[in-house]
Amino acid sequence: EFTKMPSTVKPGVVTGQALVDLLNHAKENEFAIPGVNIVGTGSINACMEAAKKAGGPIMVTFSRGGGQFIAGKAADNTDDAACIAGSVAGALHVRAVAKLYGVPVILHSDHCQKSWLPWFDGMIKASEEYFEKNGEPLFSSHMLDLSEEPLEENI
């Protein structure tokens, strides 16, 4: 039941033990947390609005292309700079408004393949910098997807 979240899970971005508790709660109560790839603040807000209406948590998911779209397709993307900047800007937007929707939000990056590691590394760096100032990471979780790599490199 959505209304009886674990005591550690509060409205806003969920990280650390609260994230573990939320995922365990979903598993124990046999419900999925929707994850939506977003492309801007409009789609971010729409996801959180839908979660509010449903009364449950949401996963706001950043793809590399979605991050670049947030920064703007004409922005310089040398070394994935626009992909990183857009993903970070989107994550900061979620952080600024998520509590206003009254639902737990998981901030996640989606399917980073080996050739996209500069994007992944840039988000990790931003998360570390955010942690230094705020005591928690910017993102809740990241997905490294090496499924296209040989098995010996993927394990």
Side-chain angles (χ1 to χ4, degrees):
E1 185 173 292
F2 294 131
T3 57
K4 295 183 181 176
M5 291 288 168
S7 62
T8 56
V9 178
K10 309 287 187 213
V13 175
V14 180
T15 62
Q17 188 59 52
L19 175 60
V20 172
D21 293 346
L22 175 57
L23 295 174
N24 286 336
H25 179 72
K27 182 178 180 181
E28 290 163 8
N29 291 277
E30 300 180 329
F31 69 88
I33 300 171
V36 182
N37 278 1
I38 54 78
V39 293
T41 57
S43 59
I44 290 170
N45 296 348
C47 290
M48 292 188 293
E49 181 181 344
K52 180 179 181 174
K53 286 179 181 176
I58 187 77
M59 183 181 295
V60 174
T61 306
F62 292 85
S63 67
R64 181 176 172 271
Q68 185 178 10
F69 194 83
I70 290 170
K73 290 291 186 176
D76 180 8
N77 199 35
T78 304
D79 298 324
D80 279 348
C83 296
I84 295 163
S87 296
V88 169
L92 291 170
H93 172 79
V94 173
R95 286 243 173 224
V97 301
K99 287 181 185 175
L100 303 175
Y101 288 87
V103 294
V105 178
I106 299 171
L107 262 177
H108 179 71
S109 67
D110 199 17
H111 293 280
C112 178
Q113 62 193 34
K114 188 175 183 179
S115 62
W116 296 347
L117 285 175
W119 170 61
F120 195 84
D121 291 341
M123 289 185 296
I124 296 292
K125 181 179 181 215
S127 231
E128 289 171 345
E129 291 169 357
Y130 189 90
F131 185 91
E132 289 296 318
K133 295 175 186 170
N134 300 284
E136 67 177 348
L138 178 58
F139 291 88
S140 305
S141 57
H142 295 282
M143 183 189 300
L144 179 61
D145 181 353
L146 300 178
S147 61
E148 293 182 357
E149 302 306 314
L151 187 60
E152 54 274 1
E153 287 184 39
N154 198 4
I155 296 182

